Amino acid sequence: MPTKQCEVVLLETSDLHGFLLPRSYSTRDEVEHGLARIASIVRKMRNIHSHIVLIDNGDCLQGTPLTYYHAKVNHEPANPVIACLNELRYDAAVLGNHEFNYGLPYLRSAMKESRFPWLSANTVDASTGQPMFGKPYIVRELENGVRIGVLGLTTAYIPNWEQPAHIAGIRFDDPVEAAQKWVRMMKDEERVDVVVVSYHGGFERDLETGVPTEPLTGENVGYLLCEQVDGIDVLLTGHQHRAIASNVNGVCVVQPANEGRFLGKVTLQLESGANGWTVANSQAELIAAADYKADEEIVRIVRDVEELTQAWLDQPIGFVEGDMLISSHADVRLREHPLIEFINRVQMDESGAHISNTALFDNAAPGFGRQITMRDIVSNYVYPNTLKVIRISGRDIRDALEKSAEYFERDEQGEIVVSEAYLSPKPQHYNYDMWEGIEYVLDISQPIGHRVVKLERQGQPLVEDDMFDVVMNNYRAGGGGNYTMFQGKQVVKDINTDMVELLADYIQKRVHIEATVNGNWRVVNGRK
């Protein structure tokens, strides 16, 4: 009897972060990524292949001024992200950590508009232990009887970042343990022939050597899933914004970067034998969005909300006296810049705290020109953070500064550069903090852990046993970025207004803001 064969193609997007149209919100220039370009690839794949399963792997609802405008300013129009996913006939979406950023009511509204299920087997009701948002998995059965199971998993590290109100009543279980339970059930009870795990998380180890590439906090456990869970044929990943198409322990793995730069594709060749359908061959690849034009229907769907967003972004709200533009992102992190001092001072003004820290989140922030618009604010402050004031010791402050100092290393010529650990596997510029309200010097010529060579407050050495109220964003206050010294500390004040709103309100009230630098910190390279 001849062997039956079947081809199945899995398509994955991940970490779209609301990037629907191929356009920069900072400059309005055309860019080579975005869901509209990805949509053209999806339509091409549907014309070529008979059996397609299309999955979004999480972090689609947040990340651009468009999504911020819809969530915070005007949510009367249909959710533009969901409308696009519906148009492309996604089979399912997985909950990412940023799905919770705008609160549970907004998330549930997005789910209600979705014509596809949302999956997360390990995001459970804290009181019942059952999946919180519906299905842990889906099963797609083809006309030839092939059964494809897709299990959704979410990074369990979310409580370390997210505002408690946004995840009230939710427990995030260990993804590996959840996978062991549900994969077994999918195989034994659902009789699936192919097991696909779509995990909003990444890899904690080098894919080839298995050597750890980050602290084993549990934020990313992709390697562990491939190593410890039997029966997985394909692992779709994300969260780290990496471009990966590989194989780990016999599991085909893919990760399509972020903001619609690639479409992840896994081609499965199945054969039917005495024990049913099995995977004979699997191949992962990444298809670049840059090679495709924007899909006209996606552009049409987004057009109205996009126009409203652009008008909102161009609203002038204030003026700068002096220079707050950024000419070198590296220099901003080596010596104090007026933008950083301004953000810290807004945090201190809003909170009443006398010490503050913040970060320059990426290397695209332009700073502020003479006139400030909402576009300028959201281009510089790209995350939907709120503020917390926590009470910490002088020792905690020193430890946090030492952690920030790890951002730097010296190259072969002895010059200060960004540490490779903060560039790979993904850039982490947001994990380098700059402080106001204390005076300090970081000397990068010194060993890690001994780089804080000056730490004072009001001209006096900071006493390590003294307690201080410090304002910072909610991500950092929860220990995000491996700032473990902040975890579990007393919360003196919780300010639930988004930082974009706080910055805009501060400027609008004053109209004119002054670009100032008090030089309370610097980074040095020994005697050089």
Side-chain angles (χ1 to χ4, degrees):
M1 183 176 179
T3 302
K4 294 182 180 179
Q5 296 181 334
C6 174
E7 181 183 80
V8 175
V9 172
L10 308 172
L11 301 178
E12 178 205 10
T13 53
S14 190
D15 299 272
L16 289 171
H17 287 291
F19 215 102
L20 305 180
L21 302 182
R23 182 181 302 146
S24 165
Y25 283 98
S26 297
T27 65
R28 303 188 76 159
D29 292 339
E30 187 86 1
V31 296
E32 295 185 334
H33 54 277
L35 183 62
R37 291 182 185 270
I38 293 292
S40 295
I41 311 175
V42 171
R43 296 197 197 279
K44 178 181 178 181
M45 292 298 105
R46 289 196 186 279
N47 288 332
I48 296 173
H49 303 287
S50 300
H51 305 303
I52 296 260
V53 179
L54 176 60
I55 304 293
D56 183 76
N57 191 58
D59 280 6
C60 66
L61 294 179
Q62 173 278 336
T64 57
L66 176 75
T67 57
Y68 182 92
Y69 176 82
H70 185 267
K72 293 286 192 175
V73 181
N74 177 13
H75 52 258
E76 287 302 316
N79 189 304
V81 176
I82 299 302
C84 291
L85 300 190
N86 285 340
E87 165 64 23
L88 293 173
R89 304 189 344 252
Y90 273 72
D91 290 277
V94 174
L95 284 164
N97 51 294
H98 285 288
E99 259 64 71
F100 297 93
N101 285 172
Y102 296 133
L104 289 176
Y106 187 79
L107 174 56
R108 291 191 184 280
S109 175
M111 289 179 168
K112 189 175 181 180
E113 293 183 39
S114 303
R115 295 201 294 264
F116 50 85
W118 287 76
L119 311 177
S120 184
N122 66 314
T123 303
V124 304
D125 187 310
S127 60
T128 67
Q130 295 301 308
M132 187 76 176
F133 298 98
K135 298 182 178 182
Y137 62 83
I138 60 169
V139 177
R140 279 277 311 275
E141 183 168 351
L142 308 182
E143 65 273 9
N144 58 6
V146 172
R147 290 172 63 81
I148 304 162
V150 181
L151 175 69
L153 297 171
T154 302
T155 176
Y157 209 62
I158 290 174
N160 292 285
W161 306 312
E162 192 53 72
Q163 297 181 53
H166 290 178
I167 54 174
I170 303 174
R171 190 181 77 220
F172 296 90
D173 288 345
D174 179 82
V176 176
E177 294 178 3
Q180 290 169 336
K181 168 187 173 181
W182 290 104
V183 167
R184 186 165 54 249
M185 182 178 296
M186 291 164 69
K187 298 282 282 186
D188 295 345
E189 297 184 17
E190 296 284 0
R191 300 295 179 185
V192 300
D193 302 296
V194 179
V195 173
V196 179
V197 173
S198 186
Y199 166 53
H200 188 82
F203 293 97
E204 71 282 27
R205 296 179 180 274
D206 182 275
L207 272 61
E208 294 184 1
T209 66
V211 174
T213 54
E214 63 183 37
L216 301 180
T217 61
E219 177 180 353
N220 299 295
V221 293
Y223 196 93
L224 210 58
L225 284 167
C226 295
E227 189 177 55
Q228 295 192 2
V229 183
D230 293 333
I232 299 176
D233 296 298
V234 178
L235 181 65
L236 309 178
T237 64
H239 186 55
Q240 292 174 314
H241 300 184
R242 298 168 65 184
I244 295 172
S246 188
N247 186 288
V248 177
N249 197 36
V251 178
C252 193
V253 299
V254 68
Q255 187 173 146
N258 63 313
E259 295 182 341
R261 284 172 167 77
F262 297 95
L263 179 68
K265 180 184 180 185
V266 175
T267 304
L268 300 176
Q269 303 295 337
L270 309 181
E271 292 183 351
S272 176
N275 297 319
W277 291 95
T278 57
V279 177
N281 187 51
S282 60
Q283 180 179 353
E285 59 184 301
L286 297 171
I287 305 175
D291 297 333
Y292 291 80
K293 294 182 179 180
D295 179 80
E296 292 182 359
E297 183 60 18
I298 294 299
V299 173
R300 186 197 66 77
I301 289 171
V302 178
R303 182 177 293 120
D304 289 347
V305 182
E306 174 72 9
E307 289 178 356
L308 290 169
T309 302
Q310 293 291 350
W312 171 71
L313 286 172
D314 286 332
Q315 294 175 12
I317 60 174
F319 301 89
V320 173
E321 301 294 339
D323 185 5
M324 243 188 234
L325 288 170
I326 294 176
S327 58
S328 168
H329 296 90
D331 285 349
V332 172
R333 300 183 180 103
L334 291 171
R335 58 190 62 85
E336 193 171 25
H337 186 277
L339 178 70
I340 299 302
E341 181 168 295
F342 170 70
I343 293 173
N344 271 322
R345 290 202 179 280
V346 172
Q347 293 185 172
M348 294 160 75
D349 181 83
E350 179 64 32
S351 67
H354 299 295
I355 303 175
S356 172
N357 67 47
T358 192
L360 184 66
F361 296 128
D362 58 32
N363 284 345
F368 291 155
R370 175 77 177 87
Q371 178 178 277
I372 305 174
T373 64
M374 285 301 302
R375 187 184 306 279
D376 297 319
I377 294 178
V378 298
S379 296
N380 285 287
Y381 206 102
V382 297
Y383 294 116
N385 291 333
T386 59
L387 297 179
K388 289 183 186 292
V389 179
I390 60 174
R391 186 159 293 163
I392 60 177
S393 69
R395 164 55 69 179
D396 294 326
I397 292 175
R398 178 178 289 276
D399 289 345
L401 289 170
E402 290 288 0
K403 181 64 185 174
S404 278
E406 293 178 18
Y407 175 80
F408 299 109
E409 63 184 16
R410 299 207 297 176
D411 63 15
E412 293 179 355
Q413 289 72 43
E415 300 299 325
I416 297 176
V417 295
V418 179
S419 170
E420 183 63 27
Y422 284 78
L423 297 174
S424 179
K426 71 172 183 177
Q428 297 179 53
H429 302 299
Y430 52 81
N431 281 331
Y432 170 70
D433 290 335
M434 293 159 280
W435 292 62
E436 192 65 41
I438 56 175
E439 302 87 48
Y440 64 93
V441 175
L442 307 179
D443 184 352
I444 309 308
S445 71
Q446 299 301 311
I448 286 177
H450 300 278
R451 290 176 166 178
V452 180
V453 295
K454 173 186 175 181
L455 178 54
E456 297 178 352
R457 173 158 169 74
Q458 298 176 340
Q460 298 298 318
L462 199 72
V463 179
E464 296 195 345
D465 291 335
D466 284 356
M467 303 302 292
F468 302 90
D469 291 350
V470 180
V471 60
M472 61 189 74
N473 68 57
N474 61 294
Y475 171 79
R476 186 69 78 239
N482 298 311
Y483 282 77
T484 55
M485 70 292 299
F486 297 150
Q487 289 178 333
K489 294 301 166 69
Q490 178 186 350
V491 178
V492 178
K493 186 180 291 187
D494 196 344
I495 302 166
N496 287 318
T497 304
D498 191 288
M499 265 300 287
V500 168
E501 295 178 41
L502 293 178
L503 290 167
D505 288 346
Y506 184 95
I507 296 167
Q508 285 174 320
K509 286 177 183 177
R510 291 159 179 81
V511 183
H512 293 269
I513 63 171
E514 193 174 350
T516 62
V517 171
N518 63 9
N520 66 296
W521 64 268
R522 57 196 175 100
V523 177
V524 301
N525 192 7
R527 295 183 179 274
K528 295 192 66 176

